[in-house]
C-alpha cells in the first residue's frame, strides 16, 4: 500500500474536500504502482459498511474504520500512526481544512516525518511524490520532495477534485486502536451553527460573496436573498468580517477559506490579491461593482458596472421568475 488518506464524514456523508483527497491519493498511488487506502474515525451508527465501502468509487481499495470521537484531531493521529506503522504506507495525504492541518501536523510530529502544507498539486517523479506549494502570496510555486518516508502532504482546501473512477467497493477493515491518554482529553461539546455558516461555503456550488460595497451588515440580506434564489451560500471578504458584518466561517481568501464553486458572484468586492487567492479557481466569476476600474473585473468572466443596491434585487426577482 502506498498512500493513506484521511476522510472526514458527517451525518452519513463524506465532505467534498475528503473525496478530493481520496481521488488524488488513488491517482498518485497508481502512478507509483501501488494502492491507496482511507482512514475513517467515528462512533455513530452512520459509519456503515456501505458508507465506508463507497470510497471505492473514488479509488480507495481499502478503508480502515476505527471507533473513536468524530471531528477531533488527536484520535485520528493515533489511528493513522498505528496503520502506517503496521502496514507501511509511504505517504499520508490530507485535503486541507482546519482538521486536516491539525491531524497532519500531529502525525508529522508523532512520526518525525517531513511535511508540506498548503499543497496545490502533487506529482510522481522517479518513483517518489513531489508536492507543489505556492509561496510569497502565491506569486511563485516550489517543488518539495521528501528525504525520508513516510512523507506527509497537506493540501490546500479543495485543491484536489473529487473524481469518481469506478463503481467498485473498498474493502472495509475494522481497526481497534487504543487511544493515548491525552487524545481523549478534548471532547466535542456540540457542533455550533452561526448565521452564514449553516451552509459550508467550501461545498457550495454557487456562492454570492459580499464585500464592503454592501455598505453595512444589513446589506448582506441582499446576498442572502439572491443566494437563496440560486440555491447557493453566502461568502464574504475579510474587510466585512473584520467589521463584524458577517462571520469568519464565510471568509474567502488568504486568511480564510479556499473555494472552487461553479458560480462565484461578487457583490461590492474590489478583488484584492488576498481575496483572489481564495476564489480564483471558481468556474465562472461574475462581479458587480460600481467602479469600472475595480481589479476584480480583470479576472471576471462577466462584469457588471453599476450599483449593487439596484442590480441585486432585480437579479433576485429575475432568478425567482425564471425558476417559476
Ligand atoms: C495579510 C493579509 C491577509 C488578508 N486576507 C484576506 C482574506 O483572506 N480575504 C479577503 O477578502 N481579504 C483579505 N485581506 C484584505 C484585502 O487586502 C482587502 O482589503 C479586502 O479583500 C477588501 O475587501 P472588500 O473588497 O470587501 O473591500 P474594498 O476593497 O473596500 O472594496 C469595496 C468595493 O465595493 C465597491 N462598491 C462600493 N459601493 C458599491 C455599490 N453600491 N455597488 C457596487 N459596488 C460598490 C467599490 O467600488 C469597491 O471596489 C488581507 C489583507 C492582508 C494584508
Amino acid at each position: 500500500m502506498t498512500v493513506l488518506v484521511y476522510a472526514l464524514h458527517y451525518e452519513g456523508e463524506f465532505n467534498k474536500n475528503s473525496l478530493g483527497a481520496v481521488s488524488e491519493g488513488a491517482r498518485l498511488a497508481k502512478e507509483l504502482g501501488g494502492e491507496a487506502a482511507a482512514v475513517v474515525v467515528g462512533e455513530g451508527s452512520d459509519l456503515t459498511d456501505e458508507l465506508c465501502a463507497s470510497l471505492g468509487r473514488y479509488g480507495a481499495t481499502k478503508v480502515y474504520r476505527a471507533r473513536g470521537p468524530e471531528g477531533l484531531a488527536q484520535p485520528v493521529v493515533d489511528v493513522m500512526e498505528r496503520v502506517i506503522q503496521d502496514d507501511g504506507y509511504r505517504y499520508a495525504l490530507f485535503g486541507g481544512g482546519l482538521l486536516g492541518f491539525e491531524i497532519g501536523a500531529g502525525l508529522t510530529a508523532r512520526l518525525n516525518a517531513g511535511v508540506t502544507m498548503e499543497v496545490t498539486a502533487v506529482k510522481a517523479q522517479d518513483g517518489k511524490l513531489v508536492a507543489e506549494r505556492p509561496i510569497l502570496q502565491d506569486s511563485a510555486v516550489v517543488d518539495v520532495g521528501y528525504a525520508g518516508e513516510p512523507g506527509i502532504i497537506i493540501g490546500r482546501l479543495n485543491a484536489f477534485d473529487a473524481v469518481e473512477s469506478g463503481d467498485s467497493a473498498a474493502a472495509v477493515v475494522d481497526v481497534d486502536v487504543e487511544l493515548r491518554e491525552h487524545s481523549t482529553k478534548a471532547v466535542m461539546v456540540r457542533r455550533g451553527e452561526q448565521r452564514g455558516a449553516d451552509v459550508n461555503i467550501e461545498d457550495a456550488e454557487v456562492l454570492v460573496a459580499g464585500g464592503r460595497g454592501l455598505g453595512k451588515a444589513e446589506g448582506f440580506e441582499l446576498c442572502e436573498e439572491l443566494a437563496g434564489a440560486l440555491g447557493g451560500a453566502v461568502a464574504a471578504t475579510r474587510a466585512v468580517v473584520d467589521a463584524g458584518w458577517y462571520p469568519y466561517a464565510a471568509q474567502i481568501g488568504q486568511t480564510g477559506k479556499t473555494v472552487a464553486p461553479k458560480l462565484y458572484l461578487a457583490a461590492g468586492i474590489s478583488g484584492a490579491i488576498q481575496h483572489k487567492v481564495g476564489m480564483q479557481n471558481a468556474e465562472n466569476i461574475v462581479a458587480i461593482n460600481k467602479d469600472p476600474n475595480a481589479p476584480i473585473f480583470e479576472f471576471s468572466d462577466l462584469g457588471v458596472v453599476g450599483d449593487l443596491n439596484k442590480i441585486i434585487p432585480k437579479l433576485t426577482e429575475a432568478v425567482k421568475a425564471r425558476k417559476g
Side-chain angles (χ1 to χ4, degrees), residues 134-297:
I135 55 162
L136 302 173
Q137 298 198 345
D138 287 3
S139 59
V141 176
V142 287
D143 280 358
V144 186
Y146 293 85
E149 290 180 358
I152 314 285
I153 302 163
I154 306 177
R156 190 174 267 190
L157 196 66
N158 291 330
F160 310 125
D161 290 334
V163 182
E164 287 202 45
S165 50
D167 56 5
S168 53
V172 182
V173 182
D174 283 308
V175 282
D176 187 12
V177 178
E178 196 179 329
L179 302 181
R180 296 195 181 201
E181 201 204 335
H182 68 260
S183 300
T184 56
K185 295 288 184 205
V187 291
M188 180 71 76
V189 180
R190 70 185 163 94
R191 280 181 189 253
E193 303 230 329
Q194 56 183 160
R195 178 176 177 243
D198 49 343
V199 181
N200 187 354
I201 64 165
E202 291 127 336
D203 289 345
E205 297 206 326
V206 175
L207 282 178
V208 178
R212 203 149 33 190
L214 292 171
K216 52 184 187 294
E218 291 71 31
F220 266 97
E221 285 161 20
L222 289 176
C223 295
E224 284 169 348
E225 282 262 313
L226 178 56
L230 290 167
V234 175
T237 64
R238 176 167 166 177
V240 294
V241 170
D242 286 353
W245 296 1
Y246 222 66
Y248 172 68
Q251 184 182 316
I252 291 176
Q254 187 187 324
T255 44
K257 290 179 176 160
T258 304
V259 294
K262 287 196 170 139
L263 171 64
Y264 162 94
L265 190 148
I269 292 177
S270 58
I273 177 73
Q274 298 89 352
H275 185 76
K276 184 185 173 193
V277 294
M279 44 63 69
Q280 61 195 352
N281 290 331
E283 265 179 52
N284 297 288
I285 300 173
V286 177
I288 303 171
N289 198 305
K290 67 178 185 184
D291 175 6
N293 297 315
I296 194 145
F297 289 136

Side-chain angles (χ1 to χ4, degrees), residues 10-178:
Y10 183 52
E11 292 186 340
E13 275 182 33
F14 290 104
N15 71 356
K16 184 177 150 196
N17 189 42
S18 295
L19 294 176
V22 172
S23 306
E24 183 68 359
R27 183 187 72 79
L28 293 165
K30 208 168 168 187
E31 286 207 26
L32 295 179
E35 290 177 23
V39 164
V40 293
V41 178
E43 48 202 353
S45 55
D46 58 341
L47 203 49
T48 58
D49 284 354
E50 198 187 356
L51 179 71
C52 295
S54 72
L55 290 176
R57 295 209 306 270
Y58 296 87
T61 52
K62 192 174 186 178
V63 174
Y64 296 91
R65 173 174 56 191
R67 295 285 160 192
E70 288 171 22
L72 295 173
Q74 282 304 321
V76 183
V77 173
D78 290 351
V79 174
M80 293 188 79
E81 177 193 24
R82 168 77 181 278
V83 169
I84 289 173
Q85 281 175 346
D86 286 357
D87 290 355
Y89 284 83
R90 296 180 60 196
Y91 299 94
L93 179 79
F94 298 88
L98 289 180
L99 198 58
F101 275 101
E102 204 179 334
I103 299 167
L107 191 62
T108 300
R110 195 72 74 75
L111 298 172
N112 197 19
V115 64
T116 319
M117 305 181 104
E118 289 276 345
V119 170
T120 49
V122 189
K123 58 196 171 196
Q125 210 170 286
D126 302 328
K128 289 182 169 190
L129 293 187
V130 174
E132 290 182 16
R133 177 179 188 221
I135 55 162
L136 302 173
Q137 298 198 345
D138 287 3
S139 59
V141 176
V142 287
D143 280 358
V144 186
Y146 293 85
E149 290 180 358
I152 314 285
I153 302 163
I154 306 177
R156 190 174 267 190
L157 196 66
N158 291 330
F160 310 125
D161 290 334
V163 182
E164 287 202 45
S165 50
D167 56 5
S168 53
V172 182
V173 182
D174 283 308
V175 282
D176 187 12
V177 178
E178 196 179 329

